[in-house]
Amino acid sequence: MKLRNILKPIKILGMMSVMLASQSCEDLLVEKVVSGIGNDYMNTPKGFEDAVKSAYSSLRNYYGTQPGLTITEYGTDIYATGADGSFKGFHFYDTQLQGGVGSASGDLLAALWDELYRGVNTCNAIIERAPKVTLSEAVLKQRVAEAKFLRAHYYYLLHQQFGGVDLRLTETLVPTKDTKRATDAEMFNAIIKDLTEAIPNLEAKSQSTDYGRATKPAAETLLAKVYLVKAYSAQKAADDFTKAAQLCSGVINNYTFKLLDDFAQVHDENNQVNSEVVFAVQYTSDPLTNLTNNTGAVNGGNNLHLLFGMQYDVQPGMKRDVFYGRPFKRLRPTSYFLNTVFADRTNDSRYKKTFRDTWLSNNPGTNLNASFDDSKSKLTFAAGDTAIFIPGYEMSKADRAKKKYQVLVPSAYNEALFPTLMKFFDTKRPDLTYEAGSRDFFVFRLADVYLMLAEAQLQSGNISEATKAINAVRYRAGWPGKKDAMLITEAQMNFELIIEERARELAGEQMRWLDLKRWGLLVDRVKKYNPQAAPNVADKHYLRPIPQTQIDRSTKGAFAQNPGY
């Protein structure tokens, strides 16, 4: 049975077991009964198993959601604002980006903070209570290892966004204002310890027998990410890059993972369980389960299908439908992303397979007024005719006039009209207004592991192995007959290539802000490539503001705000 199908029945337990944690409610001293299930239920074999399943659920509030996307893709070198939506302070790095209660950004950060700590406390309870539970030793070891993987994952996300946080490694059962901020060294040590202890007891296979559970390669991938982060930090050790490279090599060579032959297959909604997925957060079409997001996500589910779409649905010959999606116009690609990162479209298939460039008429009509294309005034469409085409380059007015459809050229791009990322589209939604998508979110996939390996090897001075690793990803991305042209030589291998290759391969996959932060390049690259954010971005933005709710629920003066907020 897939884990996605067994999360819903125990969500209540997951909430119940941590509601009294110091980080779990806005008013610290108000106890709220949310379930009739007794706390001792978790000490039973069934209750313990349910608790482990519930520990995964907090991932659904970060991955595949608008809040999670907001703090990982907004305000980077590859994405700028679309026409609509809240949380634009994360794009502009202006006064909207504060931690205060009642502000959009502050409430988003507070909700994510609370939900990640709910996950932490559920993991703490699992780890502490395991010795009291009557299950086989093998099962208990695996379940505790899953909890340690998840606890490390939650703290990794908290640490990257906020810096040192309250490092709680025991179950919180009653309200407390006794909190403090851990140092970076303490955070790294705790995360690495959890993952190192988890790895030997997780299933040593590409996919768990119970699909969706954490596996040994998933934990190894996360540990590699942690070592990469640490390697650029003040806590760096001489062997951090080497350790990251060893872990990535193990994931690539010790299991049955395989890069798919076609980049487009990776994000095919009908191919979600494939040989490239190392770890996925699972979603479902069950509406009750989809409504379990607690962070301001757009009505639950994997809703990234909403956030990258352009305003196609008011153009002549078009109307909104399930296939082309509901366009919330939250993010649009920067000029740097389109023109530099995706400059090679002759050999590299990823521009074509990343962005939608053609819309076929689903609202036919005659003598329709053209909108954005000034090369024509009237249009006529039969059902299925091309209505909109985005060539990706400038075309003269005379050349556009020869087409029977509207041509959107780069000079006409704006916050409502732009190339649309296709990775997350969900055509299985029941109607055209339905927001909660059911697609899994791929947290770790093999191409990312190859690119991490290339980075770690490059930074270790092993140019030959770095070149081999990045070429594996580039070769797959080539058009048929052009794959050899995608291969680079050792002389061409450099860090800028790593930066651009991760953008080409992983765009929109909730990694870019974390990459720029890890490299210490956030401010530099935003200033260079994101004109909207350039005037305001500063060094303080390598960390988010601590939610005011956390500061207020701590002993006065005990939990300091991050500098500059």
Side-chain angles (χ1 to χ4, degrees), residues 164-182:
V165 296
D166 192 12
L167 187 59
R168 291 183 173 266
L169 300 174
T170 58
E171 183 182 5
T172 302
L173 289 169
V174 296
T176 176
K177 287 195 172 186
D178 183 15
T179 67
K180 65 176 183 178
R181 297 196 65 172

Side-chain angles (χ1 to χ4, degrees), residues 211-250:
Y211 182 75
R213 290 189 186 274
T215 60
K216 183 176 180 179
E220 289 169 336
T221 300
L222 179 55
L223 184 54
K225 285 185 178 288
V226 173
Y227 277 125
L228 278 181
V229 170
K230 184 170 174 285
Y232 295 96
S233 76
Q235 308 303 317
K236 64 185 177 184
D239 60 352
D240 284 338
F241 285 122
T242 300
K243 287 179 177 178
Q246 290 171 342
L247 287 160
C248 291
S249 293

Side-chain angles (χ1 to χ4, degrees), residues 24 50 81 141 158 198 301-302 336 352 401 420 425 427 486 509:
S24 63
D50 284 349
T81 60
K141 282 184 176 180
L158 285 162
N302 180 344
Y336 160 75
K352 176 72 173 178
T420 292
F425 272 78
T427 65
M486 290 290 290
E509 296 181 43

Side-chain angles (χ1 to χ4, degrees), residues 297-329:
V298 186
N299 202 27
N302 180 344
N303 50 63
L304 298 192
H305 63 91
L306 297 164
L307 305 178
F308 293 93
M310 79 164 198
Q311 195 173 48
Y312 76 91
D313 52 342
V314 298
Q315 309 306 325
M318 298 301 303
K319 63 181 179 181
R320 183 185 302 170
D321 66 12
V322 172
F323 180 81
Y324 290 120
R326 187 173 179 182
F328 274 30
K329 306 185 294 296

Side-chain angles (χ1 to χ4, degrees), residues 26 87 96 98-108 110 547-549 552:
E26 286 192 18
F87 315 123
Q96 299 175 74
Q98 296 294 337
V101 177
S103 68
S105 61
D107 290 349
L108 178 147
Q548 188 62 42
T549 49
D552 292 344

Side-chain angles (χ1 to χ4, degrees), residues 16-86:
M16 175 278 297
S17 66
V18 299
M19 190 55 72
L20 302 184
S22 66
Q23 293 87 3
S24 63
C25 55
E26 286 192 18
D27 186 341
L28 177 68
L29 301 180
V30 174
E31 299 184 11
K32 182 179 179 182
V33 177
V34 297
S35 172
I37 301 174
N39 195 38
D40 288 340
Y41 173 66
M42 192 173 170
N43 299 331
T44 68
K46 177 68 164 59
F48 184 79
E49 290 280 25
D50 284 349
V52 175
K53 296 166 192 172
S54 74
Y56 287 84
S57 64
S58 291
L59 294 174
R60 284 181 169 172
N61 292 272
Y62 181 89
Y63 291 111
T65 69
Q66 180 172 252
L69 191 74
T70 295
I71 62 173
T72 52
E73 295 289 342
Y74 283 30
T76 64
D77 53 350
I78 64 173
Y79 269 104
T81 60
D84 295 338
S86 303

Side-chain angles (χ1 to χ4, degrees), residues 460-480:
S460 300
N462 194 338
I463 308 300
S464 174
E465 292 303 311
T467 304
K468 290 177 184 177
I470 204 167
N471 273 341
V473 176
R474 289 180 58 82
Y475 186 85
R476 188 270 295 278
W479 287 109

Side-chain angles (χ1 to χ4, degrees), residues 138-377:
V139 170
L140 280 176
K141 282 184 176 180
Q142 181 181 335
R143 299 297 181 254
V144 169
E146 290 176 56
K148 288 185 176 181
F149 164 82
L150 290 168
R151 183 169 69 179
H153 201 141
Y154 294 134
Y155 274 132
Y156 165 75
L157 297 177
L158 285 162
H159 185 215
Q160 288 310 289
Q161 293 292 336
F162 299 103
V165 296
D166 192 12
L167 187 59
R168 291 183 173 266
L169 300 174
T170 58
E171 183 182 5
T172 302
L173 289 169
V174 296
T176 176
K177 287 195 172 186
D178 183 15
T179 67
K180 65 176 183 178
R181 297 196 65 172
T183 65
D184 286 335
E186 289 170 334
M187 295 298 300
F188 279 122
N189 288 340
I191 294 167
I192 291 171
K193 181 175 184 291
D194 266 353
L195 291 170
T196 302
E197 292 177 355
I199 285 170
N201 295 317
L202 292 168
E203 290 180 90
K205 55 177 64 175
S206 298
Q207 300 295 350
S208 171
T209 304
D210 192 6
Y211 182 75
R213 290 189 186 274
T215 60
K216 183 176 180 179
E220 289 169 336
T221 300
L222 179 55
L223 184 54
K225 285 185 178 288
V226 173
Y227 277 125
L228 278 181
V229 170
K230 184 170 174 285
Y232 295 96
S233 76
Q235 308 303 317
K236 64 185 177 184
D239 60 352
D240 284 338
F241 285 122
T242 300
K243 287 179 177 178
Q246 290 171 342
L247 287 160
C248 291
S249 293
V251 173
I252 291 166
N253 296 318
N254 296 340
Y255 306 95
T256 59
F257 297 114
K258 180 182 180 294
L259 290 175
L260 299 181
D261 293 334
D262 183 351
F263 175 76
Q265 293 176 328
V266 178
H267 302 286
D268 181 349
E269 64 183 319
N270 297 309
N271 190 34
Q272 294 188 72
V273 182
N274 64 63
S275 65
E276 194 163 329
V277 179
V278 179
F279 182 67
V281 170
Q282 296 176 289
Y283 283 94
T284 171
S285 58
D286 185 328
L288 179 59
T289 303
N290 277 341
L291 290 174
T292 57
N293 285 338
N294 303 302
T295 56
V298 186
N299 202 27
N302 180 344
N303 50 63
L304 298 192
H305 63 91
L306 297 164
L307 305 178
F308 293 93
M310 79 164 198
Q311 195 173 48
Y312 76 91
D313 52 342
V314 298
Q315 309 306 325
M318 298 301 303
K319 63 181 179 181
R320 183 185 302 170
D321 66 12
V322 172
F323 180 81
Y324 290 120
R326 187 173 179 182
F328 274 30
K329 306 185 294 296
R330 295 294 195 264
L331 296 97
R332 63 186 171 95
T334 61
S335 295
Y336 160 75
F337 189 30
L338 295 174
N339 300 327
T340 301
V341 173
F342 284 108
D344 179 8
R345 302 174 193 178
T346 301
N347 302 309
D348 195 329
S349 69
R350 284 174 293 188
Y351 175 83
K352 176 72 173 178
K353 294 174 181 178
T354 295
F355 299 106
R356 186 182 303 286
D357 60 10
T358 304
W359 284 256
L360 304 182
S361 177
N362 60 8
N363 189 27
T366 59
N367 205 35
L368 304 173
N369 292 324
S371 52
F372 55 78
D373 186 348
D374 64 357
S375 70
K376 51 189 69 76
S377 59

